Amino acid sequence: MSGVGSESSKPLSERRASRPIRLGKLAVGGDAPVSVQSMATTDTRDRQATIDQCRMLQAAGCDAVRVAVPDDDAADNLGAIAKAVTIPVIADIHFNYHLALRAIEAGVAGVRVNPGNIGGQKRVREVARAAKERGIPIRIGVNGGSLEKELLERYGYPAPEAMVESAVRHIRMLEDEDFFDIKVSLKASDVPTMVRAYRLAAKTFDYALHLGVTEAGTLLQGSVKSAVGIGMLLAEGIGDTIRVSLTADPVEEVKVGIHLLKSLGLRDGGMTLVSCPTCGRCSVDMITATQRIEKALENVSEEVHVAVMGCEVNGPGEAREADVGIAYGHNNVGLLFKKGKVVRRFAADELEEALVAEVRSIVEERSGKLPIVNQ
């Protein structure tokens, strides 16, 4: 079988060894699974709206969520937000060391702050000590769009070497305070620059790496750019946690991130859907049929491999390789497959319902909840 978890879906490269850290209960780096993060788009000063969105991200499978902390009013809500969800909440802070201290006191699981931007080594010392006392890691976030002026003048553009040099500067400021619970990101909107920066960083230090293509764009363009950039690095064994940055509902970021990891054999759980792109041989509307099936099964949590195929050329073969599959044929009929065997021939308009019912039966069986049998 070629489903997820089989020999064919093992990671392409051995993972880079990185220092492990913990975001609350979530392990990052070392031999921990690659995690998916997102960022709330709500105004953190609106406590309930932010809690509601964090809960939606959690339900979608997000492993950690970041929230913006632009001022004291936002910081006031951090404790309540962190308690309202079971996934780690990370405070995103720029320039203001006071807000970093407040976030740490509020009980967030992590802080994103660049030591070189908060007012000198004395303030770095205060933040590092507070974070160390609470066991809270700090993420250093280097961005190609906001590099130090001196580095831009020396390199002439946001070069990968400049980005890594910037990261090392920030790292040393924390290391000088005996602080080593560090995670680093080196994001750029240009995929080749981002990839080269992470490759160089992976050779330069052993801290956990948070991967992402920043300002990637809309759902379509951003997903493609992120899949290329993040996927290349993960396939090389580089990366410990990811965020797919989209100008879209952040739930979509989580969905794309999860599918990205699943496609590389780096995450289990949920439905893996194989479907044909349709052609002139197909006798049904494959596009809408597949969309309906995907929608009906979008909340499946157990690992299940599903195939939806439109004709007899590749259809039966792909359907046999899935846990459950259907293959449409001529004369308005099709076949339902389960674990490599034909279960039954159905009329074409009955196949969707039969497939969904079979998947749900498998999910109930695997989750330990036996399907109810009508007496």
Side-chain angles (χ1 to χ4, degrees):
M1 303 286 283
S2 62
V4 173
S6 67
E7 184 71 23
S8 63
S9 62
K10 286 185 177 180
L12 298 177
S13 298
E14 185 176 344
R15 285 273 299 282
R16 159 186 173 265
S18 61
R19 295 193 190 196
I21 59 171
R22 296 197 72 86
L23 289 166
K25 297 179 180 179
L26 177 68
V28 176
D31 59 359
V34 178
S35 53
V36 175
Q37 299 189 28
S38 185
M39 186 169 183
T41 58
T42 53
D43 185 337
T44 313
R45 289 167 292 198
D46 187 336
R47 179 187 300 183
Q48 194 57 52
T50 304
I51 288 173
D52 290 344
Q53 190 173 75
C54 287
R55 286 174 173 167
M56 286 190 290
L57 290 167
Q58 177 180 303
C62 186
D63 297 307
V65 60
R66 186 158 44 107
V67 297
V69 188
D71 55 29
D72 282 309
D73 289 338
D76 288 340
N77 289 330
L78 289 176
I81 294 168
K83 291 176 182 177
V85 293
T86 58
I87 59 174
V89 173
I90 302 165
D92 186 87
I93 294 160
H94 294 271
F95 312 122
N96 193 324
Y97 88 105
H98 169 74
L99 292 176
L101 293 173
R102 289 208 59 198
I104 292 168
E105 292 169 3
V108 297
V111 175
R112 191 273 197 197
V113 61
N114 285 350
N117 297 336
I118 58 174
Q121 194 64 30
K122 181 179 178 181
R123 292 179 175 177
V124 173
R125 184 173 303 123
E126 289 187 56
V127 173
R129 286 179 178 176
K132 190 171 185 177
E133 288 173 1
R134 299 281 188 118
I136 294 175
I138 293 175
R139 177 184 141 202
I140 293 169
V142 175
N143 192 304
S146 57
L147 280 178
E148 295 92 320
K149 183 178 179 181
E150 176 265 322
L151 288 174
L152 285 174
E153 290 176 348
R154 178 147 51 90
Y155 285 92
Y157 72 106
E161 295 79 7
M163 294 173 66
V164 173
E165 185 173 335
S166 176
V168 170
R169 289 180 180 181
H170 293 300
I171 288 169
R172 286 175 179 165
M173 294 183 77
L174 291 176
E175 290 178 338
D176 286 346
E177 303 303 330
D178 196 35
F179 189 90
F180 302 96
D181 285 342
I182 299 169
K183 178 176 57 171
V184 181
S185 63
L186 303 104
K187 296 185 179 181
S189 57
D190 177 69
V191 172
T193 298
M194 167 262 192
V195 169
R196 293 186 184 111
Y198 278 108
R199 283 172 175 167
L200 180 57
K203 297 175 182 178
T204 304
F205 47 77
D206 64 353
Y207 291 110
L209 292 175
H210 171 82
L211 304 185
V213 179
T214 193
E215 289 93 37
T218 55
L219 181 57
L220 175 59
Q221 292 193 38
S223 297
V224 172
K225 289 174 70 174
S226 296
V228 172
I230 296 173
M232 286 176 66
L233 292 164
L234 290 175
E236 295 172 11
I238 297 172
D240 302 287
T241 183
I242 69 171
R243 180 196 174 189
V244 176
S245 298
L246 301 175
T247 309
D249 186 330
V251 169
E252 298 299 328
E253 295 186 350
V254 176
K255 291 179 180 179
V256 175
I258 289 173
H259 283 298
L260 200 164
L261 294 184
K262 284 173 65 67
S263 70
L264 289 168
L266 295 173
R267 190 169 180 126
D268 295 326
M271 177 181 63
T272 298
L273 178 64
V274 174
S275 60
C276 74
T278 195
C279 70
R281 286 188 297 269
C282 192
S283 60
V284 297
D285 183 352
M286 275 293 296
I287 295 174
T288 56
T290 305
Q291 288 173 343
R292 286 193 298 265
I293 291 167
E294 184 177 44
K295 181 67 176 177
L297 299 174
E298 65 179 349
N299 294 321
V300 167
S301 58
E302 297 295 316
E303 180 69 35
V304 59
H305 184 180
V306 178
V308 181
M309 305 302 294
C311 77
E312 64 275 12
V313 177
N314 296 319
E318 289 287 354
R320 284 193 180 93
E321 290 296 307
D323 291 318
V324 184
I326 55 176
Y328 292 97
H330 291 300
N331 301 319
N332 202 35
V333 297
L335 299 175
L336 173 69
F337 294 80
K338 181 178 179 181
K339 297 180 180 178
K341 296 181 179 179
V342 175
V343 174
R344 185 180 155 191
R345 184 184 298 269
F346 284 88
D349 59 3
E350 298 175 333
L351 268 180
E352 284 182 43
E353 184 177 347
L355 172 70
V356 171
E358 199 64 61
V359 171
R360 288 176 176 164
S361 176
I362 287 178
V363 169
E364 289 171 339
E365 182 181 316
R366 291 179 179 176
S367 65
K369 300 176 183 177
L370 295 176
I372 298 174
V373 179
N374 294 325
Q375 298 296 325

